[in-house]
Amino acid sequence: QVHLVESGGGSVQAGGSLRLSCAASESIGSINTMGWYRQAPGKQREFVAVSIDDGSTRIADPVKGRFTISRDNAKNMMYLQMSSLQPEDTAVYYCNAMQYYDDGDYSSYWGQGTQVTVSS
């Protein structure tokens, strides 16, 4: 069981920046993917960014060029650097870790979320 704790959320004005952190309770070196998702009020949770264990990353189109994902396996940490924030980025941001097994099964872990509010 991997416990994830997000931090770094807050309130900023449009155009501002925030860095979210996700701390894992154990080594993330064997975690296949670690990612960020967000959920705005009245909307479904949506994908934001993912870091894959082969070193590659994927960024959702709405935040491409503004958000950067990174992970530090040595510290069991993952980050989301957010810049040029817009009101539509307002949401609860969740950290996710996925581990896949040889039998096709997988485990998915979620943090409790951190609120990001962007005012115009």
Side-chain angles (χ1 to χ4, degrees), residues 6-85:
E6 303 95 335
S7 61
S11 298
V12 296
Q13 290 192 326
S17 299
L18 283 174
R19 188 177 83 152
L20 304 183
S21 299
C22 174
S25 61
E26 58 184 71
S27 173
I28 63 172
S30 62
I31 298 294
N32 298 107
T33 68
M34 292 199 69
W36 291 96
Y37 291 73
R38 66 185 182 184
Q39 187 166 18
K43 295 187 177 181
Q44 289 189 329
R45 191 172 298 188
E46 65 176 4
F47 166 77
V48 175
V50 66
S51 170
I52 303 170
D53 58 0
D54 65 0
S56 63
T57 62
R58 301 286 186 271
I59 308 291
D61 285 344
V63 304
K64 195 169 292 184
R66 300 188 296 120
F67 291 11
T68 302
I69 187 172
S70 62
R71 62 195 273 184
D72 186 336
N73 290 346
K75 296 182 178 180
N76 300 331
M77 296 289 294
M78 179 179 65
Y79 307 98
L80 185 69
Q81 179 66 48
M82 307 185 293
S83 60
S84 301
L85 283 161

